[in-house]
Amino acid sequence: MKKSIEADLAMSKSAVKISSDLLANPLCEPDPGFLEMVTALDTAMKRMDAFNQEKVNQIQKTVMDPLKRFSSVFPSLNMAVKRREQALQEYKRLQSKLEKYEEKEKTGAVIAKLHQAREELRPVRDDFTAKNIQLLEEMPQFYNSRVDYFKPSFESLIRAQVVYYTEMSRVFGDLAQQVDQVELTDQERERENEARLAELRGLSIVADD
């Protein structure tokens, strides 16, 4: 999305520069009709740039910012998984210690250590169980909520594009009416350009030696 926005802004800024450069070019000065066409193009490009900026601002607020906030949850989520893993390792360590004492001959010293190992294990086991239950309950909720969270942003993205391209249709429709004074097809324009180029090639200053 970030790359798309940067490309959109670069495109409209470049279009504005093209029209501005044309408007400042001496080519337009001797031909009022052509100057009027280039002025219309410059106005249209500036309108396009303004609408594009509005679209980008809308996408920033309703798509990119919400996704940034969503991604900010992951460090906490990863930490919860890490804490559960640490609790599990400690639980396994103490469980293994308890099992070793249970396998030994039950002397007074062993019975005492066995009792101590059970007392050490109980809070660790309870801590792991609590962390594990929490993840088992909440991870599916988090995973299943991702679509509901993203849908408003996706809908907003589509609406922003619809508004922008609707406005662009109007902008370029108005521009076409101002510039396209003679209705020609693309093929007719190509033939016209080729004919003029042929005339230029016929000049002695560009003739081949």
Side-chain angles (χ1 to χ4, degrees), residues 121-174:
L121 178 63
R122 186 179 297 109
V124 172
R125 181 181 56 213
D126 292 345
D127 180 54
F128 166 72
T129 301
K131 287 181 170 62
N132 192 49
I133 290 174
Q134 182 183 36
L135 283 178
L136 289 174
E137 290 178 349
E138 295 184 4
M139 283 287 277
Q141 295 177 27
F142 178 82
Y143 182 78
N144 292 331
S145 69
R146 71 200 190 286
V147 174
D148 289 337
Y149 183 89
F150 180 66
K151 277 176 64 178
S153 292
F154 182 70
E155 292 167 359
S156 179
L157 173 63
I158 299 301
R159 284 197 299 271
Q161 299 285 7
V162 168
V163 170
Y164 173 73
Y165 286 109
T166 299
E167 294 297 339
M168 287 306 93
S169 178
R170 293 195 185 100
V171 167
F172 284 96
D174 293 343

Side-chain angles (χ1 to χ4, degrees), residues 34-49:
F34 185 53
L35 176 61
E36 184 178 345
M37 293 167 65
V38 174
T39 301
L41 173 66
D42 186 60
T43 300
M45 295 304 97
K46 288 175 180 175
R47 288 178 65 194
M48 178 183 71
D49 187 46

Side-chain angles (χ1 to χ4, degrees), residues 3 8 16-17 29 38 40 48-49 61 67 69 75-76 96 103 110 144 150 185 191 201:
K3 289 182 178 179
D8 281 351
V16 169
K17 188 175 188 312
E29 292 179 4
V38 174
M48 178 183 71
D49 187 46
K61 288 188 297 183
L67 287 179
R69 289 193 292 272
S76 299
S96 177
E103 292 171 359
V110 170
N144 292 331
F150 180 66
T185 66
R191 285 195 295 270
R201 285 172 177 156

